[in-house]
Amino acid sequence: MDATSITVGLGERSYPIYIGPGVLSMIGADLKARQSGQKYGIITDSNVGKLYGNKLLQGLKQEGIEARLFIFTAGEGSKNLETIGQLASSLAQEGFDRSDALIALGGGVAGDMTGFLAATYMRGIPFVQVPTSLLAQVDSSVGGKTGVDIPEGKNLVGAFYQPQAVYIDTDLLDTLPQQEYRGGLAEVIKYGVIQDSSFFTFLKNNHKNIKQLEPGVLTSMIQRCCEIKADVVAQDEREGGLRRILNYGHTIGHAVEAASDFTIIHGFAVAIGMVAAAKLAPRSLDQGTDISDELTGLLQTYGLPTTIPAELNVERMRKYLLADKKTVGGRVFFVLPDKIGSVRITDKVNVRDVDAVLSNAL
Ligand code: GLY
C-alpha cells in the first residue's frame, strides 16, 4: 500500500498501521490481498456512516469484495452490551460466520465496540480498524483494547483483541468537529511527555501547521504517536507494567471527566490530568524537574484546558480516583513525569498532595 507504515510487533499476531492522506480509498485493494474474510461487516455510527460508509463500501465493491454496512446510533450511550447484542443478531441474520470479518469505521466508540464484537462473535472473527477521529488514530485503534461500558463504569467489560490492520486516513480529520480534534491533541502531547522530548519540541514548533491540518505534518505527527504506542504495546500487550505509562494524565483525568458528568470531553480531561500529575511529580518523586509550566504552555497553545474547574466536587473526584479500573488491589497508581520525555509509575503519592491538586491548590 502506498502509505507510511509501521508494524505492531506481536509475533504471529503482528499487524501493520498505514498512515496518510487517501488511505480510505486503498483499503479495498489491501483487504483483497490480505484475505482476512470472505465478506466484511462494516460497523459504524450514524454520523460517520453518513460521511464515509458508502465510500468505504464502494471501494470494497470495486475490488469485488462483498460487504454490508451495520449502523448504530452515534455516541458513548450506544457503547453497551445491548448494542453488541443487536449488532450480533444483525450479523447472524445476514449470514456472517467464522469465515467473515469486521471493519471498525469511526472513533473510539466504534473501534472499541467492533473490536469486542469481533472478539466474541462466533468466539472470535478477524477485524480491522479504520479510525476517523484523532483520538482513535493516535490511541484507541492501536493496541487491542476493546470493550463496552456498563452502568457501574466505562470499559468494564472487554477483551484484549488485536486487529489485523489499522488504516489511518488523515483526510478524514477534515470533517472532525474542532473540539474533538483539540481533545485528540491532548493524547498527542501525552506521547511527547512520556517518551520523546524531541516530539514535544516538534509539537511546539509546528503548532500552526498542526492546527491547520497540513497533511505532511499530520502524517508525521500521527506516525510518531503510533510508533511510540506500537513499541509500548509490543513490550507489554496486557498492561502488566510498562503499558501503564499510556495512562499518563488519565488517572486524575477520568475523575475530572466523571465528576463533570462527562460534560468535559475525554481529551480535555486528560489535558487537565496531565498538568495535575506534573504538579504532583516534584512532591512524589525523589528526583526530577517540574515540567508543569512548560506543559501548561504547550497545552494552552493548542487551546486545551489546564486547571480543574472550581465547580467540580473534590469529594466526588476522590471517589472516582479510587474506583478507577486501573486501581490494583486498592492502590492507585500515578504516572508522573520526571522530565519531558520520561515518566515513572508510583503508588506512593501523599493523600494531602492529591487533595491539594484536586482543589487546584498546588
Ligand atoms: N489507551 C491506553 C492503552 O491503550 O493502553
Side-chain angles (χ1 to χ4, degrees), residues 110-266:
D112 286 5
M113 280 216 302
T114 308
F116 184 61
L117 184 59
T120 48
Y121 185 71
M122 298 213 167
R123 300 196 177 86
I125 61 172
F127 85 113
V128 299
Q129 290 270 16
V130 186
T132 59
S133 71
L134 182 59
L135 178 110
Q137 295 189 345
V138 299
D139 183 21
S140 58
S141 67
V142 175
K145 279 191 182 174
T146 76
V148 294
D149 306 334
I150 56 174
E152 288 71 18
K154 285 178 76 174
N155 297 321
L156 289 189
V157 175
F160 285 99
Y161 192 66
Q162 302 293 343
Q164 306 265 310
V166 181
Y167 302 98
I168 300 177
D169 187 338
T170 51
D171 288 343
L172 307 192
L173 297 176
D174 289 344
T175 51
L176 190 66
Q178 244 283 323
Q179 170 160 279
E180 270 195 63
Y181 181 63
R182 273 196 287 146
L185 286 169
E187 298 279 358
V188 170
I189 292 169
K190 177 190 81 176
Y191 287 107
V193 178
I194 64 173
Q195 284 266 283
D196 188 347
S197 59
S198 331
F199 184 55
F200 192 91
T201 308
F202 168 92
L203 296 173
K204 263 190 199 168
N205 295 342
N206 289 282
H207 66 92
K208 282 207 183 94
N209 283 335
I210 292 171
K211 281 192 229 158
Q212 285 165 7
L213 302 168
E214 196 280 310
V217 173
L218 269 190
T219 301
S220 307
M221 177 184 91
I222 295 170
Q223 177 184 355
R224 187 65 196 126
C225 298
C226 289
E227 278 167 1
I228 295 172
K229 178 132 194 198
D231 185 51
V232 170
V233 168
Q235 292 181 63
D236 178 22
E237 184 184 5
R238 299 177 76 90
E239 203 168 297
L242 177 71
R243 187 163 177 168
R244 285 195 193 133
I245 68 171
L246 300 173
N247 300 329
Y248 171 55
H250 287 62
T251 310
I252 292 174
H254 280 155
V256 167
E257 203 181 351
S260 78
D261 293 317
F262 297 93
T263 54
I264 298 180
I265 64 166
H266 179 75

Side-chain angles (χ1 to χ4, degrees), residues 298-326:
L298 184 59
L299 292 167
Q300 286 175 345
T301 303
Y302 285 102
L304 287 161
T306 55
T307 52
I308 298 177
E311 62 273 18
L312 292 193
N313 184 294
V314 174
E315 196 49 52
R316 262 186 93 188
M317 286 188 279
R318 200 189 293 120
K319 199 182 106 221
Y320 287 121
L321 266 185
L322 288 171
D324 193 283
K325 71 175 187 309
K326 291 172 181 83

